[in-house]
Amino acid sequence: MKKGNLYVVSAPSGCGKGTILAEILKKNTNLFLSVSATTRCPREGEVDGVNYYYISEEEFKSEIESGGMLEYAQYCGNFYGTPKKKVLEKLNKGIDVILEIETIGAMQVKEAMKEAVLIFILPPSVAELRRRLNKRGTEEQEVIDIRVKEAVEEIKRAVNYDYVMMNDELENAINDFEAILKASKLTIENNKNMIGKVLENA
Ligand code: 5GP
């Protein structure tokens, strides 16, 4: 059976990637969004097992030691990581998987799984990103400053990705994301069988 595609999506916090991904997941039923583990506290409205698995630093470190994390990174003082087992299970069943992770972790995934497709979502500008974070109102000013600084570093790493797109208008962004999903399905690497089949009786 053909394996699923692994998509790694990164975007600075406040870029609207959650909204884009929610729309994409509604339209594409063969896509699974991996739930990460984190040591950060849940924000208001977040649910354990849905938004993240909220675990202690001890639990997180023991997961790393037992090889249970596909990748992990520290971001703004907290650990974030992708539990490996579920991702591999889905890929082996032919289901496409999306990891919504930051850039250091994304590089680890590319290193471990060369076939992963890395997508970076840009904000229209850093000033707009700050405005969106302020509007969201879930973080203190000091935390917003740290996140903006981190965002600038992340945007510098976008050059290492396979695809880049901007979230200025939601509808355009969704269309761009779908175009990337489609293009990634049409690579030679993904379609060697198809060529072989056409040539079978030639
Ligand atoms: P937030 O605290 O805003 O939910 O997430 C902060 C950052 O951590 C975001 O850039 C998000 O993409 C990233 N993140 C979430 N889950 C993971 C993960 O499993 N691994 C890595 N490396 N980053 C993650």
Side-chain angles (χ1 to χ4, degrees):
M1 185 202 260
K2 201 168 164 183
K3 275 195 175 186
N5 277 3
L6 179 61
Y7 299 100
V8 178
V9 181
S10 301
S13 170
C15 248
K17 64 179 176 288
T19 315
I20 297 172
L21 289 179
E23 289 300 316
I24 293 292
L25 289 161
K26 257 193 246 166
K27 290 187 183 175
N28 297 272
T29 47
N30 194 45
L31 263 180
F32 168 76
L33 179 66
S34 164
V35 179
S36 297
T38 185
T39 59
R40 102 153 148 67
C41 296
R43 293 192 190 115
E44 211 177 306
E46 288 185 344
V47 178
D48 187 35
V50 176
N51 301 91
Y52 284 104
Y53 296 107
Y54 300 95
I55 62 177
S56 68
E57 206 165 308
E58 291 71 43
E59 287 172 293
F60 199 101
K61 286 182 174 159
S62 117
E63 265 308 304
I64 297 171
E65 271 164 33
S66 64
M69 292 291 187
L70 178 59
E71 60 71 37
Y72 69 92
Q74 239 180 323
Y75 184 92
C76 296
N78 294 301
F79 282 99
Y80 294 83
T82 303
K84 191 194 282 177
K85 191 165 167 262
K86 194 72 161 263
V87 171
L88 298 185
E89 265 173 27
K90 296 283 178 188
L91 291 175
N92 287 332
K93 281 186 189 157
I95 297 168
D96 297 332
V97 175
I98 295 189
L99 308 183
E100 192 259 274
I101 64 177
E102 54 68 64
T103 48
I104 302 287
M107 294 303 112
Q108 292 170 31
V109 176
K110 192 70 181 175
E111 198 55 38
M113 298 165 94
K114 300 275 182 245
E115 68 283 9
V117 178
L118 270 56
I119 307 168
F120 197 94
I121 306 176
L122 285 169
S125 67
V126 174
E128 173 61 16
L129 183 74
R130 181 181 283 280
R131 199 189 63 76
R132 287 182 192 174
L133 283 173
N134 277 321
K135 199 171 148 213
R136 189 161 81 178
T138 50
E139 273 100 1
E140 306 282 326
Q141 194 55 51
E142 198 185 324
V143 178
I144 291 178
D145 288 343
I146 296 172
R147 285 189 175 246
V148 170
K149 225 169 140 192
E150 193 62 47
V152 170
E153 293 311 309
E154 291 218 288
I155 292 169
K156 287 181 190 165
R157 294 187 204 115
V159 290
N160 300 315
Y161 281 60
D162 299 304
Y163 294 95
V164 66
M165 50 173 277
M166 187 178 279
N167 185 17
D168 46 4
E169 288 288 329
L170 182 61
E171 209 179 309
N172 291 343
I174 292 167
N175 287 340
D176 283 354
F177 200 101
E178 287 192 314
I180 295 169
L181 294 183
K182 180 93 189 180
S184 72
K185 293 274 177 197
L186 299 174
T187 59
I188 295 294
E189 203 49 50
N190 265 325
N191 291 288
K192 291 219 165 110
N193 281 355
M194 197 202 290
I195 299 170
K197 266 195 191 143
V198 170
L199 290 176
E200 244 168 37
N201 300 314

